[in-house]
Amino acid sequence: MNTIPPFAHLTPDCVMNAIDSLGLPCDGRLLALNSYENRVYQVGQDDGPPLVAKFYRPERWSREAILEEHAFTLELFERELPVVPPIIHQGSSLHTFEGFQFAIFNKHGGRAPELESASTLEWMGRFIGRIHAVGALAPFVDRPALNIETFGTGPRDFLLSHDFIPASLKPAWESAVALALDGVRRCFDRAGDVTNIRVHGDCHIGNVLWTDAGPHFVDFDDSRSAPAVQDLWMLLSGERQEMSRQLVDVLIGYEDFCDFDPGELHLIEALRTLRLIHYSGWLARRWHDPAFPAAFPWFNTEHYWQDRILELREQIALMDEPPLVV
């Protein structure tokens, strides 16, 4: 594992020089925005409104995979969906400066959606249904799929091979993960022949900005091939009865624009389980980045792994319950 901090050389001067290299002179104002995976800045311009510049984590995505994400968001934008695509500048959406790949975006404001409202959930469903109607038109070629290998066994193997699990808890964690992945496989078996499409991939409220005109999505950085329900389940919260009601509201809007395969209802807790395993692996893979120990000091403590074991055991039981909506 590379131990050199990935953004060690991305200084404020480097950021502004990168923007200047595009012929867009900066005025010296630079504001770091909330992002751990990449580095994202609001950059003031001498002539014009501020831009948002995203510098991609080195060695995470290939150039082809980033451009494929950009092409998807641009396709959505061209079809008048409210997403925030990269700016095409000098004939490209992706630029390089001193070894960093970066893109620039127009600045967009907004607030978090109020998901307690049935009308908001229906609106979100319609929006995601429109995205998926486009996402189903063509496959990703370079971007990976969300599946048991990429979000389950891969993170598990990385954690074990790099000794992140305390020795005293390793047998219990390994057992819980093994049982959880067996549960995920059963869920996929019950779901049947599920179709993967291009999805947002990380559809939580932090990536949705709401204005009086409705929602718009930002940050397609985790866009992958996945079952459609991947973009729906993260909108649900609370007790089972409440989540069932929320899902009904979302699907009412969703099916105005895109058919939903009811077999995918079996995947909600399976996808949640995979996300939990993947999240621990994600933190472990980024642990050499100084931003991560500073932001997640509780990671890799004994208490952290005890909680993960309990969490997985809860998921094992939940995956054998009937779907939220039948």
Side-chain angles (χ1 to χ4, degrees):
M1 182 169 56
N2 187 3
T3 58
I4 300 174
F7 294 105
H9 302 297
L10 189 64
T11 63
D13 282 344
C14 181
V15 172
M16 289 187 285
N17 289 338
I19 306 303
D20 284 341
S21 74
L22 301 180
L24 301 169
C26 302
D27 64 6
R29 293 177 296 166
L30 191 66
L31 176 64
L33 302 179
N34 186 32
S35 177
Y36 296 110
E37 183 66 357
N38 305 298
R39 295 295 183 267
V40 184
Y41 301 91
Q42 179 179 301
V43 183
Q45 295 188 87
D46 282 342
D47 184 18
L51 295 172
V52 173
K54 177 193 286 186
F55 289 78
Y56 291 89
R57 178 170 292 273
E59 301 180 1
R60 185 195 180 204
W61 295 124
S62 67
R63 180 176 181 84
E64 292 75 18
I66 296 173
L67 288 172
E68 199 166 46
E69 172 221 328
H70 289 182
F72 183 36
T73 55
L74 287 162
E75 182 182 1
L76 294 171
F77 186 75
E78 288 165 1
R79 292 172 181 268
E80 300 184 345
L81 274 85
V83 300
V84 181
I87 296 171
I88 303 292
H89 185 74
Q90 297 178 346
S92 180
S93 61
L94 185 62
H95 312 282
T96 303
F97 185 81
E98 294 189 358
F100 292 104
Q101 298 187 100
F102 71 100
I104 54 175
F105 302 79
N106 290 314
K107 180 185 175 184
H108 285 261
R111 60 187 183 273
E114 298 176 1
L115 296 182
E116 299 81 8
S117 163
S119 62
T120 297
L121 288 167
E122 286 185 33
W123 201 337
M124 288 292 295
R126 288 194 296 272
F127 183 22
I128 296 171
R130 292 176 65 198
I131 290 175
H132 287 182
V134 177
L137 295 176
F140 279 138
V141 175
D142 292 292
R143 298 185 76 81
L146 193 167
N147 55 37
I148 296 173
E149 287 72 33
T150 57
F151 268 52
T153 58
R156 176 202 63 190
D157 293 347
F158 183 89
L159 289 162
L160 291 172
S161 63
H162 290 81
D163 296 323
F164 276 93
I165 318 299
S168 61
L169 296 173
K170 189 174 180 180
W173 185 83
E174 278 194 89
S175 174
V177 171
L179 290 171
L181 291 177
D182 285 344
V184 170
R185 294 183 185 96
R186 289 196 300 274
C187 289
F188 272 87
D189 287 343
R190 288 194 291 268
D193 189 13
V194 172
T195 300
N196 280 355
I197 63 172
R198 294 176 294 172
V199 301
H200 181 280
D202 195 25
C203 189
H204 58 76
I205 61 172
N207 284 331
V208 182
L209 297 177
W210 194 278
T211 67
D212 291 342
H216 57 277
F217 270 131
V218 297
D219 195 4
F220 278 71
D221 191 56
D222 287 303
S223 187
R224 292 173 177 258
S225 300
V229 75
Q230 169 63 18
D231 279 350
L232 304 181
W233 71 262
M234 275 184 270
L235 302 178
L236 313 178
S237 62
E239 299 298 323
R240 180 182 173 86
Q241 184 175 0
E242 187 176 5
M243 288 194 293
S244 294
R245 178 192 59 77
Q246 294 164 354
L247 183 56
V248 168
D249 292 335
V250 170
L251 289 176
I252 287 172
Y254 184 92
E255 293 195 300
D256 284 344
F257 292 93
C258 195
D259 291 334
F260 180 76
D261 176 4
E264 293 191 20
L265 296 173
H266 292 283
L267 300 181
I268 290 177
E269 294 303 332
L271 291 168
R272 192 191 310 275
T273 300
L274 289 176
R275 185 175 176 87
L276 293 172
I277 298 170
H278 178 266
Y279 184 70
S280 293
W282 176 72
L283 289 172
R285 290 180 187 274
R286 304 294 182 258
W287 206 236
H288 66 291
D289 181 341
F292 277 71
F296 307 99
W298 35 259
F299 173 68
N300 215 31
T301 62
E302 191 156 307
H303 182 67
Y304 172 84
W305 292 111
Q306 289 171 338
D307 284 349
R308 301 292 73 74
I309 292 166
L310 293 174
E311 190 174 57
L312 288 172
R313 288 172 177 167
E314 290 174 359
Q315 285 302 117
I316 292 163
L318 289 171
M319 283 187 285
D320 284 330
E321 291 189 3
L324 288 175
V325 179
V326 293

